[in-house]
Amino acid sequence: MQINSIEEYELAYRKSVDNPEQFWGEIAQNFQWRKPWFKVLSWNFADPEIKWFEGAKLNITENCLDRHLATDADKPAIIWEPNDPEQDSITLTYKMLHERVCRFANVLKRNGAKKGDRICIYMPMVPELAIAVLACARIGAVHSVVFGGFSAKSIADRINDAACKLVVTADGAYRGSKKIELKEVIDDALIGCSTVEKVIVLTHTRTPVSMLKGRDVWWEDEVKHVNDVCPAEEMDAEDMLFILYTSGSTGKPKGVVHTCGGYMVYAGYTFSNVFNYQPGEVYFCTADIGWITGHSYIIYGPLSQGATSVIFEGIPTYPDASRFWQIVDKHKVNSLYTAPTAIRSLMSFGDEPFANVSMDTLRVLGSVGEPINEEAWHWFDEKIGKGNCPIVDTWWQTETGGIMISPIANVTRTKPSFATLPLPGIQPCLVDENGQEIEGNGVSGNLCIKFPWPGILRTTYGDHERCRQTYFSAYPNMYFTGDGCLRDDEGYYRITGRVDDVINVSGHRIGTAEVENAINMHSGVVESAVVGFPHEVKGQGIYAFVIYPEHHSDEELTRKDILQTVTRMIGAIAKPDKIMFVSGLPKTRSGKIMRRILRKIAEGEVSNLGDTSTLLDPAVVTEIIEKAQTK
Ligand code: WT7
């Protein structure tokens, strides 16, 4: 199923459009099924209802673990690199990982988990996180991983939305020089969660934690009570595999649902091709498993292909800015998949971090999460790839399950800041505001996808109508991505950023409405409006305009109080970078906030505010401009 030349790509692409069922049916033969499908695809985007590999039975963990045991039992599946470089790394072979997953799957069962139950996972980047994820999949339970940076309230909202029965967590996590108390956050979250019956706690940081009788159990104790034999649950191709929450333009995060068969095929196929993965290679994705990148390209994609996947607990700048490069040398990494924000932050450290590293094992570089600017692209190419490694700028989303538009390493000619061409099976199109498709090259518009692919989301958990509304209603018979896009003269795609009210901060999606709701929770705040602005390292930063009539003399303290409120409500990742106190917000006569104007001001472009004739009170804008200029 690997594509090795541009001619092969063109052939595969043509076939995937002319005969998608035959195309994906053949790709799917590269995976292990308990029972074959009777229909490759049935779909409509109106409801939407999308089914891939209907009637087929499988378990994704048999594809990620069992099927490699005959030939690759002793091959490393996971290499874990701890936060502290002085501490030993850990290698788990496929045989060891299989044993541990089976054992922990039995722990989940022993604690009442059954097929279809939802399990929330809130853990540090340790091998046990991958083990917990795979153990859920083993028994047919649905995992909902919540990133370790979210607050107790965010966790509670997610647990309640999915009515999770179990939580798997750890005492704490390390993040550079900091310790994060995960169990304490879970304890706070669970005050408001009545569906959770058991909490399984891994010992990691040895932080003192409270353990509630009848609810909380230790991972280490539990595994002693079970054996490592756990036959995989037989799953329907369209049974739910996991839920992953993501922010949108409206207040509440959505639980994006992926199913077993299609997701597996898509994650495996795209991993194998985009990175041109060769047997025996070591692959390192620096994302957190709490995001889709970690799900698809640390766990399911690589393991389904028998690859060796590095899990790194720490951050790029601890103990110093050479950490990534040290890891590349230490574990002889061949492919490195990271984010533009990490690249930009490491660029600022100059050449010193490269003094004692060679990085000569690197063969392929990848970028994901946000547009990569040309400067960062060239630095990545020259400093890290030494001009010898293709860069795959991979565009995709939580909802797409896997990479959609990207070069194929060693196949597609790359071009700085372009995600280049759609992968086989992906039919992108650009549409204008009236929903008209824009044909031809040298054009830009809103990016939509015309035809389903196996990894497409099936629903948003508990609210199918919301899924329809968000993705399938803007343009009939198309999946709308929320991104703006340019197709250049040679048909290459460049993603220009979100066109909705979503801010991409360091590759993380943050809904402006969500941040506004959090700020408005502060007792002194009357109203707020949040927009994105260009940020040198993060890509976009968060700018909040806040009406706070009676702030006490210490404005700085009020600012900090607001940041603290946002940290409590969402998590530190959603803290505004800038807060401006204003006496009013620019609104239309019908009361709508004119974000366009605020965006311009946040970008520092006050001279050209466009049409302001519909403003209810122009004096408000004058005040904001004055404040912006005196800063
Ligand atoms: C949004 C999806 C998919 C994994 C990480 C983020 C932006 C993602 C690129 C890229 C330009 C990109 C888009 C997209 N995005 N990759 N290569 N070039 N923009 O997943 O949190 O679901 O966010 O990230 O705006 O819609 P996510």
Side-chain angles (χ1 to χ4, degrees), residues 1-231:
M1 70 177 179
Q2 260 184 359
I3 292 168
N4 289 302
S5 67
I6 197 73
E7 293 76 24
E8 275 179 36
Y9 162 76
E10 274 156 13
L11 275 175
Y13 191 81
R14 189 69 358 251
K15 182 170 172 181
S16 77
V17 174
D18 293 344
N19 200 340
E21 292 199 47
Q22 196 195 345
F23 176 81
W24 287 113
E26 283 170 20
I27 300 289
Q29 302 290 352
N30 293 287
F31 295 80
Q32 187 180 304
W33 304 83
R34 293 251 187 116
K35 215 178 120 197
W37 49 91
F38 57 78
K39 180 117 183 64
V40 173
L41 168 67
S42 51
W43 69 289
N44 76 73
F45 276 174
D47 291 340
E49 188 177 33
I50 303 148
K51 289 186 194 147
W52 281 94
F53 310 112
E54 215 174 334
K57 302 284 181 190
L58 76 153
N59 186 291
I60 196 168
T61 69
E62 287 183 335
N63 284 268
C64 290
L65 301 169
D66 305 62
R67 74 161 167 159
H68 307 307
L69 295 183
T71 50
D72 290 328
D74 297 323
K75 188 175 163 180
I78 288 174
I79 298 175
W80 178 66
E81 174 66 23
N83 179 62
D84 177 0
E86 302 292 310
Q87 203 191 322
D88 290 337
S89 53
I90 291 175
T91 299
L92 295 181
T93 63
Y94 273 94
K95 181 162 176 281
M96 291 158 81
L97 183 60
H98 176 265
E99 277 168 17
R100 291 188 196 196
V101 167
C102 288
R103 191 175 281 274
F104 193 67
N106 285 332
V107 168
L108 292 175
K109 283 193 200 167
R110 184 182 135 82
N111 284 280
K114 299 183 311 297
K115 178 175 180 172
D117 286 343
R118 277 80 55 212
I119 299 182
C120 173
I121 302 178
Y122 186 69
M123 289 183 81
M125 282 284 284
V126 291
E128 286 81 0
L129 168 50
I131 291 168
V133 163
L134 291 163
C136 289
R138 188 79 176 174
I139 66 168
V142 177
H143 54 78
S144 167
V145 183
V146 177
F147 173 63
F150 280 113
S151 70
K153 179 171 186 306
S154 292
I155 300 166
D157 290 346
R158 286 158 174 74
I159 288 177
N160 288 334
D161 187 73
C164 292
K165 190 168 173 186
L166 263 74
V167 173
V168 185
T169 189
D171 48 1
Y174 298 110
R175 228 189 109 73
S177 57
K178 286 191 213 133
K179 246 194 208 180
I180 297 160
E181 319 235 310
L182 298 179
K183 175 61 164 60
E184 192 178 299
V185 180
I186 287 292
D187 288 336
D188 288 346
L190 292 189
I191 292 169
C193 300
S194 58
T195 57
V196 174
E197 292 168 11
K198 285 285 171 70
V199 180
I200 303 171
V201 186
L202 177 80
T203 306
H204 183 53
T205 54
R206 303 193 171 270
T207 314
V209 296
S210 107
M211 293 290 283
L212 202 68
K213 189 175 285 163
R215 188 193 72 180
D216 302 347
V217 295
W218 290 108
W219 177 301
E220 295 78 10
D221 291 341
E222 288 298 299
V223 292
K224 288 183 197 143
H225 295 293
V226 293
N227 64 24
D228 58 13
V229 182
C230 180

Side-chain angles (χ1 to χ4, degrees), residues 246-247 291-293 337 340 367-372 392-400 402 405 417 419 481-484 494-498 502 504 507-509:
T246 188
S247 298
W291 311 109
I292 191 70
T293 308
Y337 191 27
S367 167
V368 62
E370 46 172 323
I372 177 165
V392 292
D393 174 2
T394 63
W395 173 83
W396 58 297
Q397 311 177 293
T398 305
E399 295 86 345
T400 69
I405 303 181
S417 81
T481 65
D483 280 315
R494 172 194 209 156
I495 315 303
T496 47
R498 303 289 305 194
V502 169
N504 190 327
H508 303 143
R509 241 155 100 173

Side-chain angles (χ1 to χ4, degrees), residues 405-448:
I405 303 181
S406 168
I408 294 174
N410 302 316
V411 169
T412 317
R413 183 175 43 81
T414 60
K415 195 174 194 175
S417 81
F418 280 78
T420 74
L421 299 171
L423 295 182
I426 306 309
Q427 300 186 32
C429 69
L430 305 183
V431 289
D432 65 22
E433 301 87 80
N434 307 318
Q436 286 302 310
E437 182 169 351
I438 309 166
E439 314 251 6
N441 288 341
V443 293
S444 49
N446 288 346
L447 179 62
C448 291

